[in-house]
Amino acid sequence: MYLLFFWKIVFCGNLLTYPYMQNFCGEFFCKIDSEILKIETTISSPICQAKQLSNYLEEKLNELYNWVENYNFKSLEEEIYFFKELKSRLTSKYIYYHRILEIESNAPTTSKKLKLKYYKTIINDCHLSSKKDNEFYKYFRSGFTHYDHYYFTRNGTKQSINKHITRVFIDVRRCSLYDYNLAVILANDKLIEYYEEKIEQINNNVNMKSQILKSNLNWTGSKVDLVELVYALHQSKIINAGNVDVKELAVSFGKMFNIDIEDNIYRFYQDIKARKAVKTKFLNTIAENLNQKMVEEDN
């Protein structure tokens, strides 16, 4: 869960120090927190989850840009707090989910070794990205605040346009000099944590697979039939109340019945959808077989 209770802690504490800004920001960020929680708990696929959240957070960032463009901060401290604690952390959420979408969409699917190598490369890239501006990185990591007036105010941006040619296109009405840099660091921290966990899960699954005794049950129907069953169970939300990815279900059934359908489930599903007559042919057949058995036993 990505910084689940961050905004609630903020609103109960520091944001109350700035009552004028709280009129908009309090409700705004609370709603965002609630929507993130809702999407994270109702969508199990990392790609679908990241796509929906990145689109949602992009809309919210645009709303925040429009608000701050017309807001006059009441003090230097209020402006620093907004860009350092609020805007940068919302931006980091957007960067995080946008990167998850990009990374998972390009992740290898057929080889665990390739996937491990891919995720390790992502972690290394995140480390390098965070340290691109090493001076600011050390400042933030050290917990210093003496240059906050320079890094996290719009006045600091105006003063630095000529010195930082790469920042010439910064919108000085909406951005401080370094709130985006901070957002990148925060997003990279969460990406590193996320992919370290993914690597650990893959390694644990490999180890568990080698330790589990092989099942004596074998699926003797077609792979398409099993995929039809897996999708039916997934759609019915009767396993983990629906909070399970269809591919995860396919892996579990494959282990149970000694058959590999993990890499072909989406293709088989498309074949099922393309049927001209009865699409749920296998499910109808087993339902008829059970009904027939019960009728015969009653006679």
Side-chain angles (χ1 to χ4, degrees), residues 3 20 45 54 66 90 103 106 116 148-149 169 171-172 174 210 212 228 253 255 292:
L3 294 176
Y20 294 100
S45 167
S54 59
N66 292 333
L90 178 59
I103 292 165
N106 291 288
L116 284 170
D148 279 5
H149 64 283
F169 298 107
D171 188 337
V172 296
R174 301 174 170 186
S210 64
I212 295 174
E228 187 178 325
F253 273 83
K255 290 177 181 177
Q292 184 178 347

Side-chain angles (χ1 to χ4, degrees), residues 80-96:
I80 290 171
Y81 180 75
F82 174 81
F83 285 111
K84 185 177 182 180
E85 301 295 341
L86 298 181
K87 180 173 178 284
S88 62
R89 293 184 186 272
L90 178 59
T91 306
S92 77
K93 289 172 182 278
Y94 168 73
I95 295 170
Y96 172 77

Side-chain angles (χ1 to χ4, degrees), residues 203-217:
N203 287 330
N204 288 340
N205 288 338
V206 170
N207 293 334
M208 286 176 62
K209 191 172 182 179
S210 64
Q211 295 171 10
I212 295 174
L213 293 175
K214 188 174 181 180
S215 170
N216 291 323
L217 303 175

